[in-house]
Amino acid sequence: LSALQLDIARKAFIRIKEVKLVELLNRIELERRVALGSGDKKDITSIVLGDILAYQGKYSEAAKCFIRSNQEDKAVTMYCDLKMWDEARNSCSNKEHLAELMHQQAQWAETMGDYREAAQLAISANDFPKAIRLLGEQGEVDKLIEVCRTLTKADSEAISQCAVYFRKYKAMSYAVEAYERIGDIKGLLLLYVEQGMWREAFLIIERHPQFAPEVYVPWAIWLATHDRFDEAQEAFKKAGRPREALRITEQLAGNSIVCRKFNSSAYYYLKLASECGS
C-alpha cells in the first residue's frame, strides 16, 4: 500500500477481509480516474499517498502531500474533521477560508460548552454579535466590557446589545458607559428609571426636555404607589398626561367620601372643578 501498488494491496485486503481498506482503495481509484479523465494535471500520486497516510494516522505527512499537490483545502478539511484546529489554521493560507475556519471552530467550542473559547474565536473572526451573545448569556460582564470598548460608534447596535446584558446583570457603570458611547439618551434614561435613580434621570431631562415623559410618567406612578398623590398629580401634568392627573384627583375625592373625610373630599372636588373649568 505505501508503495502505491494498489492492485496488489486490494487483492491482499480482500483476502484478509479488510473491508474499510478495500473501500478506501476503491475511492482512491475512482478519484484517480476522474482526475485523469478530466485532464486535471494535479499530482495524483501525492494525493493518493496523502489519503493513505491519513488513513494510517500520519496526519502531518498526509497534509504535506496534499499541500504539495496544491490541495490545501483537502489538508484543512482533514484537520477540521479531526478537530485539530491549530493544525488546520497553520495549513490555511487563504484569509477568507481562515475566517470561515474560525467560525467552524467557534461553533464546535460552543457545542462542547466552552463558551469563553467560542467567544474568543468569534472575536478573532470579527464576529462581534456572536461574541457578545456568548459572553452575555454567560454573564461574563468584565470580558464583555473589554469587547465593547474595542467597538466604534459605527457598531452602535452591538454596543447597545452589550448595554442590554449589562442592565440584565446589574453592571450599572458598564451600562452607563455603553449608552453614553453611542449617545443613547433614551436608553440611559430607561436605565436610571429602572434602578430608581431619579436624580440622575432629572439631570438628563434638564438638558434634553424632549424626553421628559420618559421620566415623569414612571415617576408619577412611583409617587402614587407611595401615597404621594399630590406630587403624582403634578408629575403627570409635567409629563403631558392631564387625564391621568384628573383621574387621581377623582379617585382621591371618592376615597375621601368613603372614609367620611368630607373636608378632604370637598377640597378635591373644588380642585377638580377648578382644573376642569380651566
Side-chain angles (χ1 to χ4, degrees), residues 143-202:
K143 184 66 178 174
L144 188 57
I145 191 61
E146 291 178 15
V147 175
C148 187
R149 286 168 179 164
T150 65
L151 302 174
T152 65
K153 265 194 171 183
D155 303 306
S156 58
E157 188 174 339
I159 295 174
S160 181
Q161 188 59 40
C162 288
V164 170
Y165 285 116
F166 294 143
R167 283 168 60 184
K168 178 179 178 180
Y169 294 105
K170 312 298 182 186
M172 288 294 296
S173 61
Y174 291 163
V176 170
E177 179 182 335
Y179 282 130
E180 287 181 342
R181 283 194 63 201
I182 57 176
D184 187 350
I185 304 301
K186 188 173 181 179
L188 193 56
L189 280 173
L190 290 174
L191 174 67
Y192 286 142
V193 168
E194 280 180 3
Q195 300 302 315
M197 299 171 69
W198 301 108
R199 186 172 66 84
E200 291 82 354
F202 286 125

Side-chain angles (χ1 to χ4, degrees), residues 80 120 167 175 191 236:
C80 287
Q120 190 57 53
R167 283 168 60 184
L191 174 67
F236 274 126

Side-chain angles (χ1 to χ4, degrees), residues 193 198 202 213-229 231-237 239 241 244-245 247-248:
V193 168
W198 301 108
F202 286 125
E214 303 292 340
V215 176
Y216 278 114
V217 170
W219 171 239
I221 293 169
W222 184 88
L223 289 168
T225 57
H226 288 79
D227 298 330
R228 294 165 62 178
F229 299 108
E231 292 174 83
Q233 246 188 326
E234 292 304 313
F236 274 126
K237 288 178 182 177
R241 302 285 184 87
E244 281 82 351
R247 193 174 293 118
I248 288 178

Side-chain angles (χ1 to χ4, degrees), residues 48-199:
V48 170
L49 184 57
D51 283 331
I52 292 170
L53 289 168
Y55 187 86
Q56 293 174 336
K58 299 175 182 179
Y59 305 119
S60 177
E61 295 174 47
K64 289 176 183 176
C65 286
F66 294 140
I67 292 170
R68 189 164 56 242
S69 61
N70 295 320
Q71 294 293 298
E72 181 184 285
D73 288 350
K74 199 171 177 70
V76 172
T77 300
M78 175 189 71
Y79 282 132
C80 287
D81 290 343
L82 295 165
K83 307 301 184 248
M84 297 171 69
W85 303 109
D86 291 340
E87 290 82 354
R89 285 198 299 273
N90 291 335
S91 300
C92 185
S93 61
N94 185 299
K95 289 185 178 180
E96 290 183 7
H97 292 172
L98 190 59
E100 178 58 31
L101 179 58
M102 287 184 177
H103 282 298
Q104 288 182 38
Q105 186 178 358
Q107 187 65 45
W108 179 76
E110 184 179 358
T111 302
M112 298 301 292
D114 190 351
Y115 300 105
R116 185 182 284 266
E117 175 67 14
Q120 190 57 53
L121 288 162
I123 292 168
S124 299
N126 292 322
D127 189 353
F128 293 110
K130 182 169 186 174
I132 290 167
R133 176 180 63 79
L134 289 167
L135 293 170
E137 288 176 355
Q138 299 305 306
E140 296 272 3
V141 292
D142 290 330
K143 184 66 178 174
L144 188 57
I145 191 61
E146 291 178 15
V147 175
C148 187
R149 286 168 179 164
T150 65
L151 302 174
T152 65
K153 265 194 171 183
D155 303 306
S156 58
E157 188 174 339
I159 295 174
S160 181
Q161 188 59 40
C162 288
V164 170
Y165 285 116
F166 294 143
R167 283 168 60 184
K168 178 179 178 180
Y169 294 105
K170 312 298 182 186
M172 288 294 296
S173 61
Y174 291 163
V176 170
E177 179 182 335
Y179 282 130
E180 287 181 342
R181 283 194 63 201
I182 57 176
D184 187 350
I185 304 301
K186 188 173 181 179
L188 193 56
L189 280 173
L190 290 174
L191 174 67
Y192 286 142
V193 168
E194 280 180 3
Q195 300 302 315
M197 299 171 69
W198 301 108
R199 186 172 66 84

